[in-house]
Amino acid sequence: LMSSGLSWGSLGVSLRAESLESLRLRYQDLSPSRAHLGVAQVRRSASEAELCDKRRIEGQALLVEPYVPELQLFARFGVPPSLRAELWARCLGAEPKTGPYSLPRLSKSVCDWEWITDDVLRLDVAEFCANDVNYFVFDEMVESLVLALSRDASVPS
């Protein structure tokens, strides 16, 4: 790109791109010829329903004695909707909280106590969510979640 006198922007950054063959080799698991379980659809073909059932049985077997690397390999080709919450929680090592730092209690504490940082957090969310066409519909949800998580002592600063 640089040798032809063309550049991307005013900095003229030279970007190295891998060859198509090396990219195909690296991402061979994502090939359209390999069966992947996608987003649940209202109408599924018989083969997709069969794949979903097969993946559900495999996933349930893996969850009996969960081993994170095996769960991550399983997730690469799609997780059936009925197993997503449990499987991803196991992959990420997330345990549901029920104590004083559970999300419902943290959300209630937002209404009970106003923190000095709340206005700054609200402005931060408004700046990035309200002006972005991809996120503006989630503006209020993101704001309430950010405020609740700001009160969670287990979330690192």
Side-chain angles (χ1 to χ4, degrees):
L1 189 64
M2 292 298 292
S3 61
S4 64
L6 301 173
S7 65
W8 294 11
S10 58
L11 296 178
V13 177
S14 175
L15 300 175
R16 186 186 74 76
E18 293 186 39
S19 70
L20 184 58
E21 282 307 312
S22 67
L23 290 173
R24 281 186 178 149
L25 183 63
R26 179 185 288 180
Y27 298 109
Q28 65 187 349
D29 290 341
L30 299 176
S31 170
S33 63
R34 176 117 192 200
H36 288 84
L37 190 61
V39 177
Q41 298 171 343
V42 176
R43 293 183 188 180
R44 294 188 303 199
S45 67
S47 62
E48 191 174 350
E50 185 179 308
L51 175 64
C52 187
D53 290 338
K54 179 183 168 212
R55 299 285 294 163
R56 185 180 42 76
I57 292 167
E58 290 172 4
Q60 287 171 332
L62 287 172
L63 286 169
V64 171
E65 291 184 35
Y67 179 58
V68 173
E70 287 178 352
L71 294 175
Q72 290 172 339
L73 281 174
F74 175 79
R76 290 171 69 181
F77 302 109
V79 179
S82 61
L83 300 177
R84 286 179 185 161
E86 184 179 359
L87 192 130
W88 281 109
R90 297 289 176 99
C91 280
L92 299 172
E95 295 294 325
K97 292 185 177 184
T98 56
Y101 298 117
S102 66
L103 192 57
R105 288 187 184 189
L106 292 170
S107 296
K108 184 181 178 310
S109 73
V110 171
C111 298
D112 294 344
W113 296 94
E114 180 80 15
W115 283 16
I116 197 166
T117 57
D118 287 353
D119 288 337
V120 174
L121 292 171
R122 284 187 183 101
L123 284 171
D124 199 30
V125 169
E127 181 181 339
F128 291 102
C129 288
N131 296 329
D132 190 322
V133 295
N134 296 311
Y135 296 107
F136 81 94
V137 292
F138 305 108
D139 183 0
E140 293 172 1
M141 184 187 311
V142 171
E143 180 181 302
S144 62
L145 188 60
V146 165
L147 291 173
L149 291 176
S150 71
R151 285 154 171 75
D152 189 350
S154 67
V155 174
S157 304

